[in-house]
Amino acid sequence: MRCAQLIAPGRIELGEMDPETPTPGWSKVRMTHVGICGSDLHIYRHGGIGSAKAQFPFVMGHEGVGVVEDGPLAGRRVSLEPTISCHHCEQCYRGNPNLCLDQRFLSLPPDAGMLRDTLWHPPDLLEPIPDGLSGAAGTLLEPMSVALNAFDLLKFKAGSNVAILGCGGIGLCCLVLARFFGAGRILCTDPLPHRREAALSIGADYVATARSGGQLDTGDTGDTGDTGDTGDTVRRPVASDQASYQYVIECSGDAGAHKDMLTLAEPGAKIAIIGTPPNAEIVLAGHEPRRKGLTFYMVRRSRNTLERAAEIACRLPLEKVVSHKFPLAESQKAFDTASGYRDNCLKVVIEL
């Protein structure tokens, strides 16, 4: 069957792989759409992520939509939960399949991902997607379920102010959920102007350019200010004593964002860390976390949240998050676009 396979860091080719041996009780799924995630880009650029190193050729992709070909959901379009837990360990018994001690995760080496024609998957990890949602937007249900896990951990309260650091796919999913859950003031930060503009169009009240030193140039939607030499919008700064938030969600993995999240958090704030740092290190500098009494939550994938993501998907502006679609034969171009943030891309989706 067809697949898009990584043959070396930065190089993808259309190839063939042997069909999987059917697993008793599992369903065959014909893949139709796969989104490119930040973790895919780590593997694409470096040939691995953390200690998980790919053996080439390697098939990526874990944000998938497909059509079930047999079993109880035959004929239905579904989103696939990529974490396959063991159901027998202590964490599984506690209701934490995302923390399973013997889990598999599609697209994390050595397990092949979803950029292939078909795969077999447990039926209980297949979630029907709403008829009103496109297949491309349906790929966002997986990152949306991760974002929901973050909001669950934070015990987010309506009316609260929230800062979201990083406006890639997961950051924008956090943004639409924050607005859906009735957040008060929402600040989004990102170094890329087109991502900041996207955040404003989707529901942010304020946007900011993240600075590696932890200082933020923030602005509101009411004053676009002057235009710099690059054509980027320069927004009116907001004094630092006005920019504190009860919740901060870090979605970039960037060391500068790890400083910014401490600056933005008000005393007693809760911080959720979703982003994967490229150097496998998160540094909490100085005494600020202790002085402010901050609480940190490390967000590990989704936690029984895919069904809820599907239930609310049609009430969220997910179609606005998908900016580019490529056929499987152009997977190299798709990854180059996503990796280089080309052509003002937000979420890049590959269609099979």
Side-chain angles (χ1 to χ4, degrees):
M1 63 178 170
R2 296 180 311 155
C3 66
Q5 51 192 12
L6 186 70
I7 62 170
R11 292 182 58 196
I12 293 179
E13 291 184 355
L14 193 65
E16 294 284 333
M17 64 183 294
D18 294 333
E20 286 182 298
T21 301
T23 300
W26 287 19
S27 293
K28 186 177 183 181
V29 182
R30 174 172 53 83
M31 300 306 301
T32 60
H33 299 81
V34 178
I36 297 177
C37 176
S39 60
D40 293 322
L41 295 179
H42 277 286
I43 298 172
Y44 172 70
R45 293 165 181 154
H46 309 296
I49 182 168
S51 61
K53 306 299 182 182
Q55 297 294 315
F56 304 121
F58 183 71
V59 175
M60 295 180 290
H62 63 265
E63 299 176 349
V65 168
V67 177
V68 183
E69 294 194 339
D70 61 8
L73 293 173
R76 300 290 299 274
R77 292 188 311 152
V78 295
S79 172
L80 293 80
E81 167 55 58
T83 301
I84 303 176
S85 56
C86 73
H87 300 293
H88 302 299
C89 72
E90 183 177 0
Q91 291 300 328
C92 285
Y93 282 129
R94 290 179 179 178
N96 301 319
N98 56 317
L99 305 180
C100 172
L101 302 176
D102 189 26
Q103 64 179 258
R104 296 169 49 200
F105 187 84
L106 299 191
S107 83
L108 181 69
D111 289 292
M114 301 181 187
L115 281 171
R116 45 180 157 152
D117 281 331
T118 61
L119 56 82
W120 292 81
H121 210 61
D124 61 316
L125 301 182
L126 302 175
E127 185 61 41
I129 66 175
D131 291 337
L133 195 69
S134 71
T139 64
L140 290 166
L141 293 185
E142 193 277 335
M144 184 68 63
S145 66
V146 176
L148 276 170
N149 184 24
F151 278 81
D152 287 347
L153 291 170
L154 293 172
K155 295 181 172 58
F156 185 82
K157 296 181 179 179
S160 301
N161 298 332
V162 57
I164 299 167
L165 312 188
C167 295
I170 190 70
L172 293 177
C173 284
C174 288
L175 167 58
V176 298
L177 280 178
R179 183 56 68 204
F180 179 76
F181 288 140
R185 165 187 179 140
I186 302 176
L187 165 71
C188 289
T189 74
D190 199 279
L192 299 177
H194 76 272
R195 285 186 170 184
R196 299 196 299 271
E197 293 298 326
L200 286 173
S201 71
I202 291 172
D205 298 300
Y206 303 85
V207 295
T209 302
R211 302 302 177 103
S212 60
Q215 299 301 312
L216 296 171
D217 290 337
T218 61
D220 61 36
T221 57
D223 182 3
T224 57
D226 300 322
T227 300
D229 294 337
T230 62
D232 297 340
T233 300
V234 179
R235 298 188 179 277
R236 183 178 65 218
V238 175
S240 60
D241 62 350
Q242 296 175 4
S244 60
Y245 293 81
Q246 292 121 318
Y247 299 96
V248 180
I249 306 177
E250 197 289 302
C251 301
S252 72
D254 179 71
H258 297 152
K259 296 179 181 180
D260 292 339
M261 68 186 182
L262 305 182
T263 302
L264 289 166
E266 69 175 30
K270 296 180 178 182
I271 298 177
I273 300 177
I274 301 176
T276 302
N279 59 358
E281 181 178 71
I282 296 174
V283 177
L284 301 180
H287 297 288
E288 199 163 16
R290 177 182 59 83
R291 288 173 178 155
K292 287 186 173 181
L294 303 178
T295 302
F296 295 87
Y297 296 89
M298 307 303 295
V299 182
R300 173 68 165 171
R301 300 175 181 160
S302 61
R303 182 178 177 272
N304 302 316
T305 44
L306 185 60
E307 181 179 3
R308 285 165 54 205
E311 288 174 351
I312 64 175
C314 285
R315 290 179 278 172
L316 306 173
L318 297 184
E319 303 288 350
K320 292 183 178 181
V321 180
V322 177
S323 60
H324 291 69
K325 293 178 282 188
F326 295 90
L328 185 67
E330 295 183 12
S331 293
Q332 178 73 62
K333 184 177 180 181
F335 272 85
D336 285 344
T337 299
S339 181
Y341 311 107
R342 297 178 181 173
D343 194 25
N344 291 341
C345 72
L346 299 173
K347 171 59 69 175
V348 177
V349 174
I350 295 175
E351 300 179 315
L352 286 82

Coordinates of all heavy atoms in Angstrom, one line a residue, residues 233-273:
T233 N 2.5 44.4 11.5 CA 1.8 45.3 12.4 C 2.5 45.5 13.7 O 2.9 44.5 14.3 CB 0.4 44.8 12.6 OG1 -0.3 44.7 11.4 CG2 -0.4 45.8 13.5
V234 N 2.7 46.7 14.1 CA 3.3 47.0 15.4 C 2.2 47.5 16.3 O 1.5 48.5 16.0 CB 4.4 48.2 15.3 CG1 5.0 48.5 16.6 CG2 5.5 47.8 14.3
R235 N 2.0 46.8 17.4 CA 0.9 47.0 18.3 C 1.3 47.8 19.5 O 2.4 47.7 19.9 CB 0.2 45.7 18.6 CG -0.4 45.0 17.4 CD -1.2 43.8 17.7 NE -1.7 43.2 16.5 CZ -2.8 43.7 15.8 NH1 -3.5 44.7 16.3 NH2 -3.2 43.1 14.7
R236 N 0.4 48.5 20.1 CA 0.6 49.4 21.2 C 1.0 48.5 22.4 O 0.3 47.6 22.8 CB -0.6 50.2 21.6 CG -0.4 51.2 22.7 CD -1.7 51.9 23.0 NE -2.8 51.1 23.4 CZ -4.0 51.2 23.1 NH1 -4.4 52.2 22.2 NH2 -5.0 50.4 23.5
P237 N 2.2 48.8 23.1 CA 2.6 48.1 24.3 C 1.6 48.2 25.4 O 1.0 49.3 25.6 CB 3.9 48.6 24.6 CG 4.4 49.3 23.4 CD 3.2 49.8 22.7
V238 N 1.5 47.2 26.2 CA 0.7 47.2 27.4 C 1.6 47.1 28.6 O 2.5 46.3 28.6 CB -0.4 46.1 27.4 CG1 -1.1 46.0 28.7 CG2 -1.3 46.2 26.3
A239 N 1.4 47.9 29.6 CA 2.3 47.9 30.8 C 2.3 46.5 31.4 O 1.3 45.8 31.5 CB 1.9 48.9 31.8
S240 N 3.5 46.1 31.9 CA 3.6 44.7 32.4 C 2.7 44.5 33.6 O 2.3 43.4 33.8 CB 5.1 44.5 32.8 OG 5.5 45.4 33.8
D241 N 2.4 45.5 34.4 CA 1.6 45.3 35.6 C 0.1 45.1 35.2 O -0.7 44.7 36.0 CB 1.7 46.5 36.5 CG 1.2 47.8 36.0 OD1 0.9 47.9 34.7 OD2 1.0 48.8 36.7
Q242 N -0.2 45.3 33.9 CA -1.6 45.0 33.4 C -1.7 43.6 32.8 O -2.8 43.2 32.4 CB -2.0 46.1 32.4 CG -2.1 47.5 32.9 CD -2.4 48.5 31.8 OE1 -2.6 48.1 30.6 NE2 -2.4 49.8 32.1
A243 N -0.5 43.0 32.6 CA -0.5 41.7 31.8 C -0.2 40.6 32.8 O 0.8 40.0 32.7 CB 0.5 41.8 30.7
S244 N -1.2 40.3 33.7 CA -1.0 39.1 34.5 C -2.3 38.2 34.3 O -3.4 38.7 34.1 CB -0.8 39.5 36.0 OG -1.9 40.2 36.4
Y245 N -2.1 36.9 34.4 CA -3.1 36.0 34.0 C -3.2 34.9 35.0 O -2.3 34.4 35.6 CB -2.8 35.4 32.6 CG -2.9 36.5 31.6 CD1 -1.8 37.3 31.3 CD2 -4.1 36.7 30.8 CE1 -1.9 38.4 30.4 CE2 -4.1 37.7 29.9 CZ -3.1 38.5 29.7 OH -3.2 39.5 28.7
Q246 N -4.5 34.5 35.3 CA -4.8 33.4 36.2 C -4.3 32.0 35.7 O -4.0 31.1 36.4 CB -6.3 33.3 36.6 CG -6.7 34.5 37.4 CD -7.8 35.3 36.7 OE1 -7.8 35.5 35.5 NE2 -8.8 35.7 37.5
Y247 N -4.4 31.9 34.3 CA -4.0 30.7 33.7 C -3.0 31.0 32.5 O -3.2 32.0 31.8 CB -5.2 29.9 33.1 CG -6.2 29.5 34.1 CD1 -7.3 30.3 34.3 CD2 -6.1 28.3 34.8 CE1 -8.3 29.9 35.2 CE2 -7.0 28.0 35.8 CZ -8.2 28.8 36.0 OH -9.1 28.4 36.9
V248 N -2.0 30.2 32.4 CA -1.0 30.3 31.3 C -0.9 28.9 30.7 O -0.6 27.9 31.4 CB 0.3 30.9 31.7 CG1 1.3 31.0 30.5 CG2 0.2 32.2 32.4
I249 N -1.0 28.8 29.4 CA -0.8 27.6 28.7 C 0.3 27.7 27.7 O 0.3 28.5 26.7 CB -2.1 27.2 27.9 CG1 -3.3 27.2 28.9 CG2 -2.0 25.8 27.3 CD1 -4.6 26.9 28.2
E250 N 1.4 26.9 27.9 CA 2.6 27.0 27.1 C 2.5 26.0 26.0 O 2.5 24.8 26.3 CB 3.8 26.8 28.0 CG 5.1 27.3 27.3 CD 5.6 26.4 26.2 OE1 5.8 25.2 26.5 OE2 5.8 26.9 25.1
C251 N 2.5 26.4 24.7 CA 2.3 25.5 23.6 C 3.5 25.4 22.6 O 3.4 24.8 21.6 CB 1.1 25.8 22.9 SG -0.4 25.8 23.9
S252 N 4.6 26.1 22.9 CA 5.6 26.2 21.9 C 6.9 25.3 22.2 O 7.6 24.9 21.3 CB 6.1 27.7 21.8 OG 6.8 28.1 23.0
G253 N 7.2 25.1 23.5 CA 8.4 24.4 23.8 C 9.6 25.3 23.8 O 10.7 24.8 24.1
D254 N 9.5 26.6 23.5 CA 10.6 27.5 23.4 C 11.1 28.0 24.8 O 10.3 28.2 25.7 CB 10.1 28.7 22.5 CG 11.3 29.7 22.4 OD1 12.2 29.4 21.6 OD2 11.2 30.8 23.0
A255 N 12.4 28.1 24.9 CA 13.0 28.5 26.2 C 12.5 29.9 26.5 O 12.3 30.2 27.7 CB 14.5 28.5 26.1
G256 N 12.3 30.8 25.5 CA 11.8 32.1 25.8 C 10.4 32.1 26.4 O 10.1 32.9 27.2
A257 N 9.6 31.2 25.8 CA 8.2 31.1 26.3 C 8.2 30.6 27.8 O 7.3 30.9 28.6 CB 7.4 30.1 25.5
H258 N 9.2 29.8 28.2 CA 9.3 29.3 29.5 C 9.6 30.5 30.5 O 9.2 30.5 31.7 CB 10.4 28.2 29.7 CG 10.1 27.0 28.9 ND1 11.0 26.1 28.4 CD2 8.9 26.5 28.5 CE1 10.5 25.2 27.7 NE2 9.2 25.3 27.8
K259 N 10.3 31.5 30.0 CA 10.5 32.7 30.8 C 9.3 33.5 30.8 O 8.8 34.1 31.8 CB 11.7 33.5 30.3 CG 13.0 32.8 30.3 CD 14.1 33.6 29.7 CE 15.5 32.9 29.8 NZ 16.6 33.7 29.2
D260 N 8.7 33.7 29.6 CA 7.5 34.5 29.5 C 6.3 34.0 30.3 O 5.5 34.8 30.9 CB 7.0 34.6 28.0 CG 8.0 35.4 27.2 OD1 8.8 36.1 27.7 OD2 8.0 35.2 25.9
M261 N 6.2 32.7 30.5 CA 5.0 32.2 31.2 C 5.1 32.6 32.7 O 4.1 32.8 33.4 CB 4.9 30.6 31.1 CG 6.0 29.8 31.7 SD 5.8 28.1 31.3 CE 7.2 27.4 32.2
L262 N 6.4 32.7 33.2 CA 6.5 33.2 34.6 C 6.2 34.6 34.7 O 5.6 35.1 35.7 CB 8.0 32.9 35.1 CG 8.5 31.5 34.9 CD1 9.9 31.4 35.5 CD2 7.5 30.5 35.6
T263 N 6.6 35.4 33.7 CA 6.3 36.9 33.7 C 4.8 37.1 33.7 O 4.3 38.0 34.4 CB 7.0 37.5 32.5 OG1 8.4 37.3 32.6 CG2 6.8 39.0 32.5
L264 N 4.1 36.4 32.9 CA 2.7 36.6 32.6 C 1.8 36.1 33.8 O 0.7 36.6 33.9 CB 2.2 36.0 31.3 CG 2.8 36.7 30.1 CD1 2.6 35.8 28.8 CD2 2.1 38.0 29.8
A265 N 2.2 35.1 34.5 CA 1.4 34.5 35.5 C 1.2 35.4 36.7 O 2.2 36.0 37.2 CB 2.0 33.2 35.9
E266 N 0.0 35.6 37.2 CA -0.2 36.3 38.4 C 0.1 35.4 39.6 O 0.2 34.2 39.5 CB -1.6 36.8 38.5 CG -2.7 35.8 38.7 CD -4.1 36.4 38.8 OE1 -4.3 37.5 38.3 OE2 -4.9 35.7 39.5
P267 N 0.2 36.0 40.8 CA 0.4 35.1 42.0 C -0.7 34.1 42.1 O -1.9 34.4 42.0 CB 0.4 36.1 43.1 CG 1.0 37.4 42.5 CD 0.4 37.4 41.1
G268 N -0.3 32.9 42.4 CA -1.3 31.8 42.5 C -1.8 31.2 41.2 O -2.7 30.4 41.2
A269 N -1.2 31.6 40.1 CA -1.7 31.2 38.8 C -1.4 29.7 38.6 O -0.5 29.1 39.2 CB -1.0 32.0 37.7
K270 N -2.1 29.1 37.6 CA -1.9 27.7 37.2 C -1.3 27.8 35.8 O -1.8 28.5 34.9 CB -3.1 26.9 37.2 CG -3.7 26.8 38.6 CD -5.0 25.9 38.5 CE -5.6 25.7 39.9 NZ -6.9 24.9 39.9
I271 N -0.3 26.9 35.5 CA 0.4 26.9 34.2 C 0.4 25.5 33.7 O 0.8 24.5 34.4 CB 1.9 27.4 34.4 CG1 1.9 28.8 34.8 CG2 2.6 27.2 33.0 CD1 3.3 29.4 35.1
A272 N -0.1 25.3 32.5 CA -0.1 24.0 31.8 C 1.0 24.1 30.7 O 1.0 25.0 29.9 CB -1.4 23.7 31.2
I273 N 1.9 23.1 30.7 CA 3.0 23.0 29.7 C 2.7 21.9 28.8 O 2.7 20.7 29.2 CB 4.3 22.8 30.4 CG1 4.6 24.0 31.4 CG2 5.4 22.7 29.4 CD1 5.9 23.9 32.2

